[in-house]
Amino acid sequence: MFVKQLHPIWRELLADQLELLKEIEQRVLADPNSIPKTENILRAFRLPPQDYRVLIVGQDPYPKPEHAIGLSFAVPEGTKPLPPTLSNIFKELRSDLGEQVVKSGDITPWSKRGVMLLNRHLTTQANNSAGHLDLGWAEFTTAAVKGLQDALGSKLVAILWGQRALELSSVLSQATIISSPHPSPLSSYRGFFGSRPFSRCNKALLELGLSPIDWST
């Protein structure tokens, strides 16, 4: 089931991870409290890697079942109130690019504009943050990021927020890395605010000869 959700190019790039993915699937399906919905777990892999030019790495899905939709930091249209981390991302986005940029809490359109919204751990348990840290997702997503790097080479900008995301720096040796503390309320005031990741990302893309991202929501 999980393997079939991967775009064929991802299946080829991650051929040596498919057995691990099958093992993870068995453990996820055995947990009745697992979120997000099964069909959304590998949502970031529906598009081929060549459709992306930016990577944003999150930690694990939001613990509220209604918030977890399979893309890092994204929530459904109309979600109120927003999760605190996403509120902080929007605060920085407005500060960086202007108040008019944010009209909706749904950032899923970014994924169709070249941004891979990838969590380090693709599932968790409902109302239990980091509930699936021991399932093997970190190994799988590390391989996925390496595959993305292999596919795109230097034509990739990686936005890494927080320590878990920064662990991926070693497999992003060719990418342009923009890093800062995580936007969660616990760490956002340690350097996330004022880091201007969105304008810096677009500047880097232009320098690489790539189109900038439309960050509006």
Side-chain angles (χ1 to χ4, degrees):
M1 184 186 303
F2 284 10
V3 172
K4 290 181 179 179
Q5 292 182 26
L6 299 172
H7 187 280
I9 295 177
W10 280 113
R11 285 202 293 269
E12 182 178 346
L13 284 171
L14 295 170
D16 61 348
Q17 299 295 314
L18 298 185
E19 286 304 315
L20 171 62
L21 185 58
K22 292 175 183 177
E23 293 173 8
I24 294 172
E25 177 181 347
Q26 290 178 349
R27 299 178 70 183
V28 169
L29 296 181
D31 184 351
N33 296 315
S34 179
I35 56 172
K37 293 180 180 179
T38 304
E39 63 268 24
N40 286 332
I41 290 171
L42 290 151
R43 191 173 173 186
F45 297 91
R46 292 177 185 170
L47 298 175
Q50 290 80 4
D51 278 23
Y52 296 123
R53 56 191 184 277
V54 175
L55 170 68
I56 295 181
V57 179
Q59 295 186 5
D60 60 344
Y62 293 121
K64 289 188 176 181
E66 65 271 24
H67 289 169
I69 58 173
L71 299 174
S72 63
F73 302 109
V75 294
E77 177 78 29
T79 297
K80 291 182 180 180
L82 295 176
T85 294
L86 184 58
S87 292
N88 285 342
I89 290 172
F90 281 170
K91 183 176 181 179
E92 180 61 22
L93 180 58
R94 291 187 180 101
S95 174
D96 191 0
L97 298 180
E99 290 289 333
Q100 76 286 352
V101 175
V102 179
K103 297 178 181 178
S104 166
D106 183 9
I107 64 170
T108 57
W110 294 358
S111 65
K112 299 177 182 178
R113 301 173 192 161
V115 182
M116 187 176 192
L117 297 168
L118 180 68
N119 278 318
R120 287 288 274 142
H121 306 274
L122 300 184
T123 60
T124 190
Q125 292 175 319
N127 303 308
N128 182 18
S129 296
H132 283 173
L133 294 191
D134 62 346
L135 294 196
W137 281 126
E139 180 180 344
F140 178 81
T141 55
T142 297
V145 170
K146 184 180 184 301
L148 184 68
Q149 168 79 99
D150 291 344
L152 301 183
S154 62
K155 300 293 188 177
L156 173 65
V157 177
I159 299 176
L160 304 180
W161 292 326
Q163 190 56 46
R164 287 185 188 160
L166 280 168
E167 292 170 357
L168 294 167
S169 298
S170 61
V171 294
L172 287 166
S173 57
Q174 298 180 63
T176 299
I177 294 177
I178 296 171
S179 63
S180 78
H182 195 273
S184 77
L186 295 176
S187 57
S188 56
Y189 287 94
R190 299 175 188 166
F192 173 75
F193 289 131
S195 62
R196 305 193 66 185
F198 307 101
S199 61
R200 289 167 62 198
C201 175
N202 279 352
K203 181 176 183 291
L205 289 169
L206 290 170
E207 290 172 350
L208 291 168
L210 301 173
S211 301
I213 299 296
D214 174 5
W215 294 108
S216 61
T217 68

